[in-house]
Amino acid sequence: GAGVSQTPSNKVTEKGKYVELRCDPISGHTALYWYRQSLGQGPEFLIYFQGTGAADDSGLPNDRFFAVRPEGSVSTLKIQRTERGDSAVYLCASSLGWGTDTQYFGPGTRLTVL
Amino acid sequence: AQRVTQPEKLLSVFKGAPVELKCNYSYSGSPELFWYVQYSRQRLQLLLRHISRESIKGFTADLNKGETSFHLKKPFAQEEDSAMYYCALSEIGSGNTGKLIFGQGTTLQVKP
């Protein structure tokens, strides 16, 4: 079946602009995670959704970052007033349940802030 | 603080040689440990997890709680093993969210 998909695959924006990154999880997966991967680093946790609610947003770096999952499926990561330091690959993962269920990753969105 | 350390950024071996990718962790609770792999131009995928005690593609990893390590091993490396490998941990127990804490990754290069 279809895996996790993310759009766009690449996004180039200018400093100060607003961006939205989309994640389509595997159908039926209730848990959804966002991670950020900077160059030369491993992925870093941003936020976790169980259903429609953000159960853990402890990884969001500041209030410019926000994510929603209104119907418990597709999720959107929103970044306001982008900064050059936001440049990274943003990864989405979904799992059937929560806890230690296997997470399946999307291909990522490469965000470049000029 | 929770932390996963992979001391080698690059490990280069010849085909047929043994491989050991090191992973050490710092965690106060009961962690579950994972190895994820990313082949060239592919997405990140789970290779194995300690709770399953499986051998995947000839790789094994043993959790050593005394040394807080979870090293990944393979007796005979193959060229198709060349990839980026990430060690990660997650908390076991009620209320855990499943969020993964990753190491910085080790690039394994298997030369012919």
Side-chain angles (χ1 to χ4, degrees):
Chain A
V4 177
S5 61
Q6 292 185 246
T7 54
S9 55
N10 279 284
K11 176 70 178 178
V12 180
T13 191
E14 293 179 342
K15 180 175 177 297
K17 299 288 188 184
Y18 167 83
V19 296
E20 289 189 351
L21 312 179
R22 176 187 167 111
C23 172
D24 273 277
I26 293 172
S27 178
H29 280 194
T30 60
L32 186 146
Y33 302 81
W34 283 99
Y35 295 86
R36 178 169 73 172
Q37 186 170 20
S38 300
L39 193 62
Q41 304 294 318
E44 291 179 291
F45 170 78
L46 294 177
I47 187 169
Y48 155 67
F49 287 90
Q50 181 56 37
T52 59
D56 182 353
D57 64 358
S58 61
L60 294 178
N62 52 59
D63 61 5
R64 294 186 299 105
F65 288 75
F66 189 70
V68 295
R69 195 186 184 198
E71 298 177 357
S73 179
V74 170
S75 176
T76 304
L77 179 66
K78 308 180 181 196
I79 311 174
Q80 298 178 320
R81 305 183 304 280
T82 52
E83 299 177 357
R84 292 197 180 88
D86 299 335
S87 297
V89 175
Y90 289 81
L91 296 170
C92 176
S94 71
S95 65
L96 191 59
W98 67 94
T100 52
D101 280 358
T102 298
Q103 294 183 28
Y104 296 87
F105 282 80
T109 293
R110 181 176 298 279
L111 175 66
T112 303
V113 182
L114 301 177
Chain B
Q2 305 163 6
R3 181 180 294 173
V4 176
T5 304
Q6 294 179 250
E8 303 138 328
K9 289 188 79 70
L10 172 66
L11 183 63
S12 186
V13 302
F14 284 101
K15 177 183 169 182
V19 169
E20 182 179 52
L21 288 83
K22 291 184 167 43
C23 172
N24 288 88
Y25 66 91
S26 172
Y27 191 73
S28 57
S30 297
E32 177 167 7
L33 277 296
F34 305 80
W35 277 98
Y36 277 80
V37 61
Q38 188 165 26
Y39 300 102
S40 180
R41 286 188 281 279
Q42 294 188 27
R43 60 187 68 190
L44 196 60
Q45 59 186 283
L46 178 67
L47 178 62
L48 56 79
R49 53 199 299 174
H50 97 270
I51 205 167
S52 302
R53 300 189 182 279
E54 297 172 302
S55 172
I56 305 294
K57 298 184 178 183
F59 284 97
T60 59
D62 291 318
L63 179 61
N64 185 323
K65 292 186 178 180
E67 295 183 357
T68 59
S69 69
F70 189 56
H71 303 327
L72 183 69
K73 300 178 184 179
K74 184 169 183 176
F76 307 104
Q78 302 299 313
E79 289 180 70
E80 56 265 30
D81 296 328
S82 295
M84 176 70 88
Y85 291 79
Y86 293 97
C87 182
L89 73 76
S90 179
E91 182 178 358
I92 297 175
S94 62
N96 81 78
T97 64
K99 71 181 181 187
L100 294 167
I101 299 167
F102 286 89
Q104 290 188 305
T106 298
T107 299
L108 175 64
Q109 185 181 76
V110 182
K111 296 178 285 189

